[in-house]
Amino acid sequence: MSAPEVRGWCPGAWRPMMSGDGLVVRVRPMLGRISAAQALGLADLAERYGSGGIEVTARANLQLRGVSEDNFPKVIAGLDALGLLPGSAETEARRNLVLDPFLPEGHMAEGWARALFDALASEVFARLPGKFGFVIDPGPCLRRLAGISGDIRIEAGATGLILRADGCAAGLAVTPDTATDAALGLCRWFLDSGGVGADGRGRMARHLASGAALPQALRGDGPPAPAAPDPQPGPTVSGLCVAAAFGQFTADALRHLAAQDRTLRVTPFRMLFVPDVPDIPAHPDLILDPADPILRIEACTGAPGCPQASVTTRDVARRLAPQVPEAARWHVSGCAKGCAFPRAADLTLVGRAGAFDLVTGGTPWDDPLRRGLPPMDLNDSFRP
């Protein structure tokens, strides 16, 4: 079997990606927020022109799957009518921003995000790779987005706000007034110093690891603040976190949330956050219990939705979920790319040539402990 194809870009709305079940159309809501009306409109578009589900990604975006090429213009028109198409096909790919979704309404970090969003439309940043991103995580005491991928980070430091390049242990002290200009300066340095390869790809940590040295003006010795635990489904001090199996919300579940008449915040934890709401009526497709075993296992789309997968994944994951120990994380991956969970898990099943390889304590691309497990053997009696 050939190696899975690694693409150097992510889908967008204007530039969708073809998959096994049709086009994947990714929506990047401004500030990671959608109104109740926008949620209702997305549910209608997913049901009418897609597979009926809306995925929440690890970059705090939303995805519609299964869109045919004939229906794609109708989806674009629908997104435009909903106000979910900021920018153009040329600018959307480089506006990868993740803002802490749990900040109070009106926090100054919203202004930083808007300033970055506007500045990144400039042709100065036209060469930014499609996977290059910014994380805004101001704390002040803990970093809620410490585990979220990002190349340039405006985040809480141990003694104040810092700007940190991914791959550096410490960051430059900045103020609310200087943070965005400093971030854009770091971005320009990345481009000017050869951070983007001939293939158009590039990431900050890789660039620094290859020997590139930050200029003195962009260096700092401020350590980042400690990381907060990842949020869990259920009530928080400021609202309600709502999950769905594998981050895929049905259209009906999204309508149920929209009925709360609140702006929904899209989180990079594959959940939606409903501010100022302590509870909602139960819905079979929504998860509010952090102890639900389905939350302990990750699974990508798998076959036939993904052309690089030779196995179905989510049906296997559902069967195995009750066996996952409470403190463990398992992963069912359709191929060795590991898109759903690109890091080590306690147990990983990797699809290959219609069967599964078993990796323990590693990533999908690590050497397996066992090979060729038939999918029918992965049932209630399965033992690693």
Side-chain angles (χ1 to χ4, degrees), residues 100 102-104 107-108 112 137-144 155-162 223-228:
D100 180 355
F102 306 108
L103 293 173
H107 191 282
M108 66 180 71
W112 309 340
D137 185 16
C141 299
L142 297 172
R143 294 177 300 138
R144 283 189 282 242
E155 64 185 0
T159 59
L161 196 64
I162 62 171

Side-chain angles (χ1 to χ4, degrees), residues 220-294:
D221 56 6
D230 285 350
Q232 300 297 318
T236 73
V237 294
S238 57
L240 187 70
C241 281
V242 184
F246 315 118
Q248 186 168 48
F249 289 75
T250 63
D252 191 59
L254 196 59
R255 292 191 184 101
H256 186 76
L257 290 174
Q260 309 309 308
D261 197 25
R262 292 287 191 278
T263 294
L264 304 178
R265 300 188 186 183
V266 187
T267 83
F269 305 99
R270 308 194 72 175
M271 296 188 293
L272 295 173
F273 177 62
V274 191
D276 304 320
V277 171
D279 199 7
I280 59 173
H283 187 284
D285 298 329
L286 296 177
I287 300 171
L288 298 177
D289 180 4
D292 192 314
I294 200 70

Side-chain angles (χ1 to χ4, degrees), residues 150-170:
D151 297 270
I152 294 176
R153 315 180 78 91
I154 301 173
E155 64 185 0
T159 59
L161 196 64
I162 62 171
L163 172 73
R164 185 167 64 89
D166 189 38
C168 288

Side-chain angles (χ1 to χ4, degrees), residues 41-42 45 49 71-85:
L42 278 173
L45 290 174
Y49 302 122
N71 282 332
F72 174 63
K74 299 172 186 175
V75 171
I76 286 293
L79 293 174
D80 191 29
L82 291 169
L84 289 171
L85 276 184

